[in-house]
Amino acid sequence: MSKSESTSAQPVLQSDRAESVFKDFKPPYDEGHAVVEASRCLFCDEPPCQQACPTSIDIPQFIRKIATGNIKGSARTIFDANILGMSCARVCPVEVLCVGDCVYNHMGQPPIQIGKLQRYATDIALAEGWQFFEAGPDTGKSVGLVGAGPASIAAAHQLRRAGHAVTIYDKRDVIGGLNTWGVAPYKMKAEAALEELEWVLRIGGIDIQLGIGVGPGEGDLPFEELEARHDAVFLGFGLGEDSSLEVPGQDLEGVHGAVDFIECMKLGALDLGWVKRAAVVGGGNTAIDAVRELKGLGIPEVVLVYRGQEAGMSGYQHEWKAAKVEGVTASWGSQPLAFLGAGRVQSIHCARLDENKKATGDMFTLGADLVLLAIGQGKLGELLGGIEGIALERGKVVTDADGATGRPGWYAGGDCRNGGKEVVNAVDEGKRAALAIDAYLRNKGG
Amino acid sequence: MDGNQMKKPARVVPDLTTNCAGIVSPNPFWLASAPPTNSGPQIERAFEAGWGGAVWKTLGQPIQNVSSRFGGLNYGGKKNIGFNNIELITDRPLESNFREMLACKKKFPKHAVIASLMVETEAEWEEFIARSVDAGADGLELNFGCPHGMCERGMGSAVGQEPKVNERITSWAKKYAEKYKPGLPVLIKLTPNVGDILPHGHAAQRGGADGVSLINTIKSIIGVDIDNYVPYPRVGGQSTNGGYCGAAVKPIALHMVGQLARDPDFQIPISGIGGVATWRDAVEFILLGSTSVQVCTEVMLKGYRIVEDMIEGLTEYMATHGFETIDQMVGKAIPAYSEWGLLDLNYETVAKIDADKCIGCYDCVAACRDGAHQCIFPATDGTRVPTIDEDECVGCNLCQIVCPVVDCISMVEVDNGFGEATWNEAVAGEKTLRPKKGSH
């Protein structure tokens, strides 16, 4: 990869990306629908929806502004709390956050479609090019941010509002992290994520250094150098490679990590015409995204292979329900022991587990010519090993509530801190850390 | 309302036949003089749909109308809770109108067809009344209410706002009605654009009217095009004030109907108009003294077929409340329409929240905190069921009004040990008032 000094967020996406075939699972509102839905909002006091939002968007206020036709004010309310408000409108699991806590749920009436309303206002804001934020007066301080995902983007934008210089380093050649190359395309495609990022960067002064890894690796920017260049550091990197099962046959062709596969689908073209039956191993949200994506890419048979039972999946039930509606099946209580095939995977040899995930002694074989592993990702915390004052817990960076690590001037947020949560959590952690960094730099003085 | 539940009367089989000032119709639902009664074919379709009567679009010297003519008032995502128009009286040839009236009456002899008239000179009144009689009209309604366009020409509300003119023209109309068809009922349609409706009702009564119809529309500007700086409805680059109607005007109409109905010196029947959109509205108008009701806006918005539900709803209401005839209902709520000075100041209620029904929206908290008396507070136990400080609650019922859940907040009567006492009695030193609440 070549090093770039560009501040443009717009790498050229190839036009034949596999994700292009997907339609929105939740289609956008037109004005009429938006106003009717917005008008249903009860404008709760001390609103439960806002309390459920990790970024604490004043939801009743932005919804009322849609109802009155004050779309600019509505979008300002959203972005002021969550600078990736357009992405979050699409990718947030609203069913378990704001919408899940709408008081209408207690009334036997449909909850307000907060995500769709948020999308309505933020889409218009981006289309119109409204700018709400200006960089603060130059403080002469500089912050280095590691990783160009939602946590760093949110932190960098907040820091620019405070007048600090910021530089984001990312080892990839595309910015936005998983929000760009990991989101299910029926929620958001890469170009939409990049469009929002370009809009965010219009605050100016966010220097993005792509193709530059930070850490102990060969060719990487060493942490010592990072610290020397900047007055504060924000660690906003994500997780590592897809975990593997460590079973025979895992190196066969046709066996891939799910996150890796999703990135290929989001950013590149795929030929899957030869796949008749695909299996996804896992029971979390990446696994559910993967089965829905495979189904959407036209694979006739897609099966979820999970050690536990349906009720015990860690993935969201509303997402799994949608997968079932789309025709995905599941093999519950199934522990892969080996991937079989000559050069290319043909089947999975599995042990049958009982409801307590204990082996029953039964064995069976499941045909599959494509297998995706969605059983977690490695933690990258070990990259920080040996940096004085930085503590790790199960690979996650340990911080206080504001993201401060034990090393003065070093902060962290997003997946490297929380172990892998939603975009909205990363935005919140980045924003909080930026506020703490601002206070730190101002106290530090000249 | 609470604690005063009436005993359930025996179910009856009601007869909806209506006799309003001598105009008989199969039910009390009449179409008001307006676009829905613009032509014979329209009215025939309306009668087929179930309407009991129709007041023909006002006949006079035909005029020319403008485009556009209507405007709607929207609120909270709901369109057209109020409505206004700058349309004038009929713009169709009189010959067509009278010919169609005759045909309609022949086809629907049991339905009420009322000719609405608006002309200037006594000679014109005689001519129009004679022609209406020839066309078979069951009654006349003199349009003394139109608040735009016609009043500038000395007609409509210009007449309705001057009791002497009202009385004089009413007496002309009665004279010619008697001349051409003895006993032909004459209704006077009154304008609400007056400070007090009573002198105007009395003027009509003195002129010999058989009944009054009210309210006509209220002078209004429905809104402003804020990008082009022109009020609505826009006629090119200009606009003018119009007549306000629709659901939002019902409270004003109910008050004026009730004012006349409760006046012991006012003795003639009332045809109630103004925001009647459902059978419930009709019941309210009848309970406050109307004998028939007239509907326009809701039909303009939804069409004639709304009358099916109106008839069913009214029939079921009468059946369950023990009313066999419309007349038994008329004015039933008038005895309870009193003066502020006669209200019992010692009657006390406090708000109670049904914790099982509460959804925790805190709309009552915000309303009480910012718009009332600061006696409803957020929960402190994590339930989101607000708590009410009953010692401070004044019983204003704002919380009950804002609560989105049916029957969640109720206003419960409190026995405070004080007997009934009105302001008038307190001023006269006859009674003692309970201590005030919420006035810290």
Side-chain angles (χ1 to χ4, degrees):
Chain A
M1 281 184 205
S2 63
K3 292 187 179 181
S4 140
E5 304 233 330
S6 165
T7 54
S8 165
Q10 203 70 290
V12 181
L13 291 172
Q14 59 189 78
S15 58
D16 60 346
R17 289 172 296 118
E19 70 161 354
S20 307
V21 301
F22 286 89
K23 302 250 186 306
D24 284 349
F25 183 64
K26 295 179 183 173
Y29 277 141
D30 61 19
E31 182 185 350
H33 280 98
V35 169
V36 167
E37 183 66 3
S39 299
R40 289 179 60 229
C41 176
L42 293 170
F43 203 68
C44 292
D45 214 62
E46 300 183 17
C49 52
Q50 181 180 13
Q51 292 166 7
C53 174
T55 55
S56 300
I57 297 173
D58 189 341
I59 293 166
Q61 199 66 264
F62 95 66
I63 289 179
R64 183 172 178 86
K65 291 175 184 179
I66 291 174
T68 69
N70 176 14
I71 310 301
K72 189 182 277 185
S74 178
R76 182 189 289 115
T77 298
I78 295 163
F79 286 121
D80 190 46
N82 180 337
I83 194 62
L84 296 186
M86 188 215 77
S87 291
C88 288
R90 290 165 162 76
V91 308
C92 263
V94 293
E95 292 82 355
V96 298
L97 294 174
C98 52
V99 174
D101 273 12
C102 176
V103 297
Y104 271 126
N105 291 304
H106 309 307
M107 206 171 156
Q109 292 192 25
I112 300 294
Q113 295 300 302
I114 298 166
K116 292 180 76 165
L117 289 170
Q118 183 169 320
R119 174 174 176 179
Y120 175 76
T122 54
D123 277 359
I124 291 175
L126 262 63
E128 297 288 333
W130 292 329
Q131 292 294 310
F132 302 115
F133 310 105
E134 285 182 1
D138 190 6
T139 63
K141 304 287 187 189
S142 151
V143 182
L145 301 97
V146 184
S152 288
I153 296 290
H157 189 267
Q158 193 71 43
L159 289 165
R160 287 300 297 140
R161 287 174 75 178
H164 305 299
V166 296
T167 302
I168 299 177
Y169 304 89
D170 198 296
K171 64 185 177 188
R172 293 170 180 270
D173 57 2
V174 57
I175 70 165
L178 279 168
N179 193 53
T180 300
W181 48 266
V183 167
Y186 43 83
K187 293 178 183 167
M188 181 172 69
K189 297 192 184 71
E191 68 256 31
L194 292 175
E195 185 196 351
E196 183 176 44
L197 288 171
E198 189 193 29
W199 176 84
V200 170
L201 295 181
R202 280 189 220 160
I203 193 169
I206 298 181
D207 180 28
I208 298 186
Q209 305 273 327
L210 293 179
I212 300 183
V214 178
E218 181 151 353
D220 287 348
L221 181 71
F223 283 116
E224 299 77 23
E225 173 66 15
L226 180 74
E227 189 169 46
R229 284 187 191 181
H230 301 288
D231 300 294
V233 167
F234 176 76
L235 302 171
F237 53 83
L239 303 177
E241 300 290 317
D242 287 292
S243 302
S244 69
L245 270 176
E246 307 298 342
V247 296
Q250 65 173 343
D251 295 327
L252 288 172
E253 270 185 64
V255 181
H256 302 273
V259 174
D260 188 41
F261 176 86
I262 291 168
E263 180 180 351
C264 292
M265 173 193 62
K266 298 271 302 174
L267 300 181
L270 289 174
D271 174 15
L272 297 173
W274 50 274
V275 183
K276 300 285 174 278
R277 191 162 203 250
V280 175
V281 180
N285 285 314
T286 302
I288 300 175
D289 278 0
V291 288
R292 292 183 70 184
E293 286 157 353
L294 290 169
K295 199 72 195 168
L297 289 168
I299 292 174
E301 266 192 83
V302 179
V303 57
L304 184 84
V305 178
Y306 179 48
R307 292 183 306 140
Q309 302 297 316
E310 185 165 16
M313 306 170 74
S314 62
Y316 298 124
Q317 284 295 326
H318 66 269
E319 295 281 353
W320 172 240
K321 203 171 150 192
K324 284 197 288 188
V325 168
E326 288 157 10
V328 173
T329 59
S331 177
W332 307 114
S334 305
Q335 172 70 56
L337 298 176
F339 300 112
L340 310 177
R344 173 170 289 283
V345 69
Q346 288 179 320
S347 61
I348 312 173
H349 184 56
C350 294
R352 178 69 71 200
L353 306 187
D354 67 13
E355 290 184 356
N356 301 314
K357 296 184 186 169
K358 295 275 187 301
T360 60
D362 292 343
M363 303 286 173
F364 64 99
T365 299
L366 198 88
D369 36 22
L370 176 67
V371 176
L372 301 184
L373 300 177
I375 54 173
Q377 289 171 264
K379 307 285 193 295
L380 291 176
E382 68 271 15
L383 294 177
L384 303 164
I387 301 179
E388 193 184 337
I390 306 272
L392 300 176
E393 188 187 316
R394 285 182 292 158
K396 296 186 284 189
V397 183
V398 177
T399 74
D400 67 8
D402 291 329
T405 70
R407 186 176 180 86
W410 285 57
Y411 294 77
D415 283 357
C416 71
R417 173 181 182 267
N418 63 37
K421 285 190 176 177
E422 303 293 341
V423 175
V424 68
N425 300 102
V427 171
D428 174 53
E429 293 176 23
K431 184 177 74 172
R432 274 172 201 274
L435 295 170
I437 292 169
D438 178 49
Y440 165 78
L441 292 175
R442 288 179 193 283
N443 287 336
K444 204 176 159 195
Chain B
M1 54 192 86
D2 298 294
N4 274 337
Q5 296 296 331
M6 279 190 300
K7 229 175 32 183
K8 207 175 170 188
R11 196 178 167 88
V12 297
V13 180
D15 176 3
L16 267 56
T17 304
T18 301
N19 182 340
C20 181
I23 302 169
V24 178
S25 57
N27 62 51
F29 300 112
W30 298 358
L31 290 171
S33 173
T37 60
N38 205 35
S39 68
Q42 281 176 280
I43 293 174
E44 290 176 17
R45 281 193 287 112
F47 287 162
E48 280 161 12
W51 290 90
V55 186
W56 210 276
K57 174 82 172 173
T58 301
L59 305 175
Q61 303 303 343
I63 50 74
Q64 175 94 33
N65 271 311
V66 294
S67 350
S68 46
R69 304 174 194 178
F70 305 129
L73 177 73
N74 308 333
Y75 178 80
K78 180 73 187 153
K79 286 190 79 180
N80 305 321
I81 63 162
F83 194 82
N84 105 328
N85 83 91
I86 56 171
E87 187 176 285
L88 305 183
I89 62 173
T90 188
D91 55 6
R92 304 178 60 231
L94 288 169
E95 297 67 31
S96 308
N97 279 301
F98 285 122
R99 188 181 64 243
E100 289 169 11
M101 193 182 290
L102 188 64
C104 178
K105 229 5 252 187
K106 277 199 174 136
K107 209 164 163 186
F108 293 93
K110 290 183 178 166
H111 288 65
V113 173
I114 298 118
S116 171
L117 306 177
M118 185 199 289
V119 286
E120 281 190 271
T121 66
E122 184 172 352
E124 284 177 309
W125 281 107
E126 176 171 8
E127 179 205 337
F128 274 72
I129 289 168
R131 294 176 75 176
S132 300
V133 168
D134 289 344
D138 298 298
L140 308 175
E141 184 183 87
L142 312 194
N143 183 340
F144 292 175
C146 182
H148 50 86
M150 304 308 289
C151 49
E152 290 93 324
R153 308 175 197 190
M155 292 179 279
S157 61
V159 176
Q161 286 166 332
E162 290 296 334
K164 281 183 183 164
V165 185
N166 170 341
E167 180 181 345
R168 183 167 72 243
I169 297 179
T170 302
S171 65
W172 291 347
K174 267 311 280 185
K175 179 171 71 181
Y176 296 115
E178 285 300 313
K179 176 175 172 185
Y180 291 101
K181 186 178 179 187
L184 182 71
V186 174
L187 305 175
I188 305 302
K189 187 161 178 180
L190 298 177
T191 176
N193 299 296
V194 294
D196 178 3
I197 197 68
L198 287 177
H200 308 281
H202 282 293
Q205 184 173 268
R206 280 195 306 276
D210 299 282
V212 292
S213 311
L214 73 160
I215 58 174
N216 205 310
T217 56
I218 304 165
K219 257 187 199 267
S220 61
I221 289 177
I222 196 72
V224 178
D225 178 337
I226 61 174
D227 295 316
N228 294 294
Y229 320 119
V230 184
Y232 287 117
R234 282 180 62 182
V235 180
Q238 304 222 291
S239 186
T240 188
N241 54 281
Y244 189 45
C245 53
V249 309
K250 185 180 77 171
I252 296 165
L254 285 175
H255 165 248
M256 290 190 162
V257 166
Q259 277 291 90
L260 285 172
R262 70 198 284 259
D263 178 13
D265 296 328
F266 188 80
Q267 301 287 349
I268 55 179
I270 298 168
S271 181
I273 314 170
V276 179
T278 70
W279 63 268
R280 289 178 179 276
D281 301 324
V283 169
E284 291 175 352
F285 272 85
I286 295 169
L287 294 177
L288 277 177
S290 302
T291 304
S292 70
V293 292
Q294 298 185 29
V295 181
C296 165
T297 308
E298 191 69 2
V299 167
M300 290 182 67
L301 299 174
K302 301 290 180 197
Y304 298 129
R305 63 200 168 101
I306 61 166
V307 77
E308 177 179 317
D309 170 62
M310 297 178 106
I311 292 169
E312 282 180 11
L314 176 63
T315 304
E316 181 63 16
Y317 173 85
M318 291 173 70
T320 55
H321 286 73
F323 296 117
E324 290 171 307
T325 65
I326 298 288
D327 284 345
Q328 289 173 1
M329 287 175 67
V330 175
K332 194 81 177 167
I334 286 297
Y337 174 15
S338 186
E339 305 284 344
W340 198 93
L342 297 174
L343 300 179
D344 179 10
L345 294 180
N346 285 345
Y347 174 73
E348 181 179 349
T349 61
V350 295
K352 300 263 191 198
I353 298 174
D354 183 335
D356 291 336
K357 289 182 176 160
C358 177
I359 59 171
C361 68
Y362 284 4
D363 279 1
C364 59
V365 173
C368 189
R369 180 191 63 217
D370 298 347
H373 295 84
Q374 300 86 49
C375 66
I376 306 184
F377 303 100
T380 52
D381 58 1
T383 61
R384 282 192 73 93
V385 176
T387 56
I388 296 176
D389 180 352
E390 292 183 7
D391 292 337
E392 290 294 323
C393 175
V394 301
C396 73
N397 64 320
L398 180 63
C399 54
Q400 186 188 42
I401 290 166
V402 301
C403 180
V405 182
V406 177
D407 293 337
C408 176
I409 297 183
S410 47
M411 305 306 297
V412 178
E413 191 171 345
V414 173
D415 181 3
N416 54 23
F418 285 81
E420 187 178 329
T422 69
W423 174 250
N424 292 352
E425 290 167 336
V427 167
E430 296 163 5
K431 294 275 179 68
T432 308
L433 300 180
R434 65 186 165 110
K436 281 193 268 186
K437 292 172 81 178
S439 57
H440 46 276

